[in-house]
Amino acid sequence: MKEKILEVRNLTTRFHMVNQEVTAVESLSFDLSAHEILAMIGESGSGKSVTNLSIMQLIDEPGKIDPESQILFKDGDKYIDLNKLSEKEMERIRGDRISMIFQEPSASFNPLFRLGHQVGESLRLHGQSTKEEAYQEALKLLEQVHIPNSRMRAQDYPFQMSGGMLQRMMIAQALACHPDILIADEPTTALDVTTQAQILGLLKEKQKETGMSVIFITHDLALVEDFCDRIMILYAGSLMEEGAAKDVISNPMHPYTQDLLRSIPKPGMFKAQDKLFAIPGKVPDPGEKITGCPYAKRCSRCTAECLASKPQIAEKDGRKVRCFHAYS
Amino acid sequence: MLTVKELVKHYPLKAGRFSTSEEKIHALNGVSFTLGKKQTLGIVGESGCGKSTLAKTILGIQTQDSGTIILDQPDTKMQYIFQDPYLSLDPKMQVKDIITEPMRAAEMITKREIATEAAKLLEMVGLPKDWGTKYPHEFSGGQRQRICIGRAISSRPGIVICDEPVSSLDVSIQSQILNLLLELQEKLEISYIFIAHNIAVVLYMSDIVSVMYAGYIVESATPQELYSNPQHPYTKLLLSVVPEIGKNKRIFEQKITGEVPDLIHMEPGCPFYSRCPVHKDICKTAVPQLKSGENVDHSCACWLYQ
């Protein structure tokens, strides 16, 4: 059994709007092991981003993390609950022990500062380095993420860089303080496929080098099969299925996972010979009252039971699935 | 239906009225193709390859610097489906007015007929026919894209240009929209120009696929042929980095060198020269022409084959 670096227990995050209450994540529990790449897969409204913003304690009003929720982070030889920390204490963790990269690199940098300065920022904030030391360290980091002419590019502003290069910059910035956990929120969605392959390669390389754990958020099932160790499938704020990446893809147990895999056009499918399976209906609206299984209305295996009550998670052989009629 | 010949579009980079800059973005550098009736031409390529400029130029939103765009029947209507259905619907208009707007612009119907025509169109795109009095904000992303499709087909166009029609939609919604486009093509005999960066989607939807790179079409073939027998080194690269379920491709281990070429300072030779693993001397000095070999439907612009 690998050592757990993060244990999330019953994470519930709600947004209290004027006229409704939206439960973005409902009673989500999962573990992240050391050196593990965990994929979180979901569509819009699945709660994958809110989960990770909750871990980072970056949920703002009107959002609120349920005080009962536990986010246990391994700090040395004891676990601390991030949900109980003050903002001051959290600032010590954020960007230092847990850092994050985002989908749109151009929106994540300050357009008015040179990139070398921004990449070294967390080193300064977390108190180890002077301005000059941080800049020198940033130059090293840029080299490590394979930015050509890194000494010159450090002088550039964000608008002077391509999307792929900026994403490398953001990875350099996130890795500056040698975090234990890197949260990557759709890091390649805005990139071209060739650039995507390069960035995934870089992430894998850095993960192996540093031994950090990665939470990789994406909507693209095809990406994660051989890149990640474990997959979590989220739908409308709830965990639907979890397991080793290869198992979930080759033997999906939840109807949602199965339908999703069937409905993605794969290279080598042509309209002349293959009919594309389409999942009926749509993703539930935020705030929609759901009593049963959130996927019930779209599911081909749906029965009266599914509409009446929400199934519990069943766990067997390292697989978790939330379904009354799961495939085996 | 449509013949496009040697289309060239360069955007000048003038910074202001008194700017003397002669620099240009070479968005399209001589693009030619034909589109048949009820056919889908798929265009695939990475950002900056000129695929959206091509669409805008064909529609006349932008004028080309040179080259010709010829319709077999000059009265053929063309319509456009945009990527983001949250930006392409007027939030202050009722859906029935949105969906019939092209018909009214073409004076095909009078104001009185709006409600009945809108109901027909809504039904055709799989929405309840009495939803015409709703506003766009009441619809989900997939439903909005259906409205956009309804609007595009309302004036009975011969050609519809679909520019990334599913890339902003949820994965579980995408195949609904793709199936709808295929169904309407069958029913209304529409020709599509289908533009996307997702090669799997383009291969699925198209009868002919053209791969674009830096403002050139570098390879063109049927999707089956392109998938099983790609010739251009760029097509091969693209196919090698497309994630595929169950294939254990380990795309993160692929060696990819270089970046997309600078479209302002274009080198004289093949646009793919700097990234090409198999380039020869001639590639640096002369641009290869798009030529077909024994298979007339499969053409490729690469010195390896010429």
Side-chain angles (χ1 to χ4, degrees):
Chain A
M1 205 58 192
K2 269 191 191 162
E3 161 191 48
K4 301 266 184 293
I5 189 143
L6 185 75
E7 290 180 29
V8 174
R9 291 290 169 269
N10 297 320
L11 174 67
T12 301
T13 304
R14 292 195 185 87
F15 289 81
H16 302 272
M17 316 297 243
V18 181
N19 48 7
Q20 65 176 356
E21 192 184 270
V22 175
T23 307
V25 181
E26 195 176 353
S27 192
L28 183 69
S29 300
F30 66 94
D31 297 333
L32 178 69
S33 303
H35 320 300
E36 182 183 41
I37 304 187
L38 170 68
M40 262 187 212
I41 293 177
E43 305 178 77
S44 55
S46 64
K48 55 191 195 305
S49 291
V50 174
T51 300
N52 288 286
L53 292 174
S54 302
I55 294 171
M56 295 290 265
Q57 299 288 309
L58 287 171
I59 299 290
D60 284 332
E61 287 291 326
K64 206 165 168 24
I65 305 170
D66 190 303
E68 304 282 296
S69 308
Q70 289 186 312
I71 302 165
L72 304 171
F73 173 68
K74 188 160 191 292
D75 185 27
D77 43 9
K78 61 179 194 305
Y79 285 88
I80 49 173
D81 188 348
L82 301 184
N83 205 20
K84 303 268 187 304
L85 294 188
S86 67
E87 176 56 26
K88 195 104 198 132
E89 290 167 313
M90 193 59 212
E91 270 170 15
R92 190 180 62 82
I93 306 266
R94 198 187 292 137
D96 185 26
R97 311 291 305 281
I98 308 178
S99 59
M100 200 161 178
I101 57 175
F102 301 93
Q103 174 172 347
E104 194 57 71
S106 55
S108 312
F109 281 101
N110 188 327
L112 300 177
F113 288 93
R114 294 181 196 275
L115 284 159
H117 173 87
Q118 296 191 55
V119 168
E121 191 178 12
S122 56
L123 289 166
R124 291 197 314 280
L125 287 179
H126 291 287
Q128 293 112 322
S129 318
T130 63
K131 201 171 174 182
E132 182 52 32
E133 281 167 7
Y135 193 78
Q136 289 307 321
E137 190 61 32
L139 289 180
K140 277 189 213 153
L141 285 161
L142 296 192
E143 236 165 75
Q144 282 167 21
V145 295
H146 314 302
I147 289 175
N149 306 327
S150 51
R151 204 158 270 277
M152 274 163 66
R153 301 312 298 257
Q155 294 287 327
D156 281 352
Y157 290 95
F159 76 92
Q160 292 168 295
M161 307 286 270
S162 69
M165 279 298 148
L166 268 185
Q167 196 58 283
R168 285 173 191 273
M169 290 273 180
M170 192 147 69
I171 291 171
Q173 184 185 40
L175 296 180
C177 294
H178 307 287
D180 300 317
I181 301 174
L182 175 71
I183 298 175
D185 192 348
E186 305 252 12
T188 61
T189 307
L191 305 177
D192 288 321
V193 277
T194 51
T195 319
Q196 165 169 285
Q198 290 172 322
I199 294 297
L200 289 178
L202 177 65
L203 278 174
K204 193 84 175 176
E205 174 194 324
K206 292 297 150 199
Q207 188 264 337
K208 277 194 179 146
E209 261 174 44
T210 63
M212 65 183 173
S213 306
V214 178
I215 300 180
F216 187 83
I217 307 174
T218 181
H219 64 276
D220 191 348
L221 268 171
L223 267 189
V224 298
E225 181 182 19
D226 47 14
F227 183 74
C228 301
D229 302 304
R230 214 150 42 88
I231 302 185
M232 291 170 67
I233 310 262
L234 302 177
Y235 188 77
S238 294
L239 178 71
M240 299 310 237
E241 177 161 10
E242 186 188 320
K246 290 218 158 44
D247 297 345
V248 173
I249 300 284
S250 60
N251 178 26
M253 291 169 77
H254 199 286
Y256 172 58
T257 319
Q258 192 146 89
D259 290 350
L260 212 51
L261 282 166
R262 272 170 67 202
S263 72
I264 304 169
K266 294 163 197 67
M269 277 175 71
F270 309 105
K271 66 177 175 185
Q273 60 206 53
D274 308 287
K275 182 108 182 68
L276 201 57
F277 172 77
I279 305 177
K282 64 182 184 68
V283 181
D285 290 328
E288 198 175 311
K289 284 270 167 284
I290 305 167
T291 39
C293 168
Y295 189 60
K297 280 187 190 158
R298 310 178 71 184
C299 182
S300 59
R301 296 195 146 196
C302 172
T303 59
E305 189 182 15
C306 307
L307 293 166
S309 63
K310 186 173 175 178
Q312 296 297 310
I313 291 176
E315 200 172 349
K316 199 186 157 197
D317 305 332
R319 293 283 295 268
K320 288 183 193 170
V321 60
R322 185 195 290 281
C323 181
F324 291 122
H325 312 289
Y327 295 87
S328 54
Chain B
M1 285 296 281
L2 174 72
T3 309
V4 169
K5 269 199 195 126
E6 288 298 318
L7 213 53
V8 175
K9 175 75 192 171
H10 296 165
Y11 294 104
L13 266 186
K14 285 223 156 119
R17 185 177 293 186
F18 301 109
S19 167
T20 51
S21 167
E22 294 285 314
E23 289 184 329
K24 288 181 255 181
I25 298 173
H26 298 71
L28 291 179
N29 302 307
V31 169
S32 306
F33 63 82
T34 55
L35 176 69
K37 196 170 171 63
K38 236 182 107 177
Q39 206 184 36
T40 302
L41 170 74
I43 293 177
V44 68
E46 300 183 273
S47 50
C49 73
K51 49 194 198 301
S52 289
T53 302
L54 178 64
K56 286 176 189 160
T57 314
I58 294 169
L59 272 171
I61 299 173
Q62 242 128 44
T63 46
Q64 68 269 36
D65 296 346
S66 66
T68 52
I69 303 163
I70 299 160
L71 286 166
D72 285 359
Q73 289 149 334
D75 61 343
T76 306
K77 293 197 182 74
M78 283 199 263
Q79 282 289 343
Y80 201 98
I81 298 169
F82 297 89
Q83 172 174 355
D84 192 340
Y86 285 87
L87 298 175
S88 51
L89 296 175
D90 186 336
K92 289 186 219 146
M93 278 169 81
Q94 286 188 355
V95 163
K96 66 173 177 2
D97 297 318
I98 293 175
I99 205 165
T100 56
E101 196 175 19
M103 302 175 89
R104 275 179 295 129
E107 296 179 344
M108 292 164 71
I109 57 167
T110 61
K111 259 193 158 161
R112 277 190 189 167
E113 293 164 302
I114 288 177
T116 48
E117 287 300 323
K120 275 188 220 161
L121 285 165
L122 285 168
E123 209 161 23
M124 279 175 85
V125 296
L127 292 170
K129 58 182 178 204
D130 54 350
W131 280 11
T133 52
K134 292 190 177 218
Y135 288 90
H137 74 264
E138 298 174 73
F139 293 84
S140 70
Q143 290 168 339
R144 279 167 189 245
Q145 199 59 302
R146 285 175 191 271
I147 296 170
C148 294
I149 293 171
R151 173 173 63 184
I153 60 162
S154 66
S155 58
R156 296 285 178 269
I159 300 169
V160 174
I161 299 177
C162 312
D163 193 356
E164 301 272 6
V166 297
S167 50
S168 71
L169 302 177
D170 275 321
V171 192
S172 72
I173 303 298
Q174 293 187 4
S175 44
Q176 290 178 5
I177 297 297
L178 296 177
N179 283 344
L180 175 65
L181 287 171
L182 289 177
E183 183 195 314
L184 292 171
Q185 176 169 46
E186 203 53 44
K187 216 184 267 175
L188 306 173
E189 310 213 313
I190 309 169
S191 304
Y192 287 132
I193 295 177
F194 191 95
I195 300 171
H197 69 281
N198 184 333
I199 197 163
V201 171
V202 174
L203 288 172
Y204 180 74
M205 293 295 285
S206 310
D207 300 298
I208 295 284
V209 176
S210 292
V211 181
M212 281 189 76
Y213 188 79
Y216 294 91
I217 291 181
V218 296
E219 186 163 5
S220 198
T222 63
Q224 290 86 344
E225 171 78 7
L226 197 78
Y227 179 67
S228 55
N229 184 24
Q231 308 222 305
H232 197 282
Y234 177 62
T235 314
K236 289 180 182 169
L237 170 69
L238 262 190
L239 285 168
S240 74
V241 294
V242 174
E244 274 184 83
I245 290 168
K247 290 271 173 78
N248 202 19
K249 276 172 96 170
R250 301 183 80 80
I251 55 166
F252 49 88
E253 285 171 1
Q254 299 277 348
K255 284 273 163 285
I256 300 158
T257 51
E259 280 207 65
V260 183
D262 182 352
L263 294 177
I264 299 166
H265 309 102
M266 291 279 274
E267 303 287 334
C270 170
F272 193 57
Y273 174 78
S274 63
R275 303 176 78 181
C276 185
V278 289
H279 61 75
K280 304 191 285 187
D281 286 346
I282 187 169
C283 307
K284 198 172 182 179
T285 50
V287 180
Q289 295 298 307
L290 195 62
K291 279 185 189 155
S292 57
E294 281 169 28
N295 181 347
V296 287
D297 288 331
H298 193 165
S299 48
C300 178
C302 180
W303 286 117
L304 281 183
Y305 305 98
Q306 298 185 4

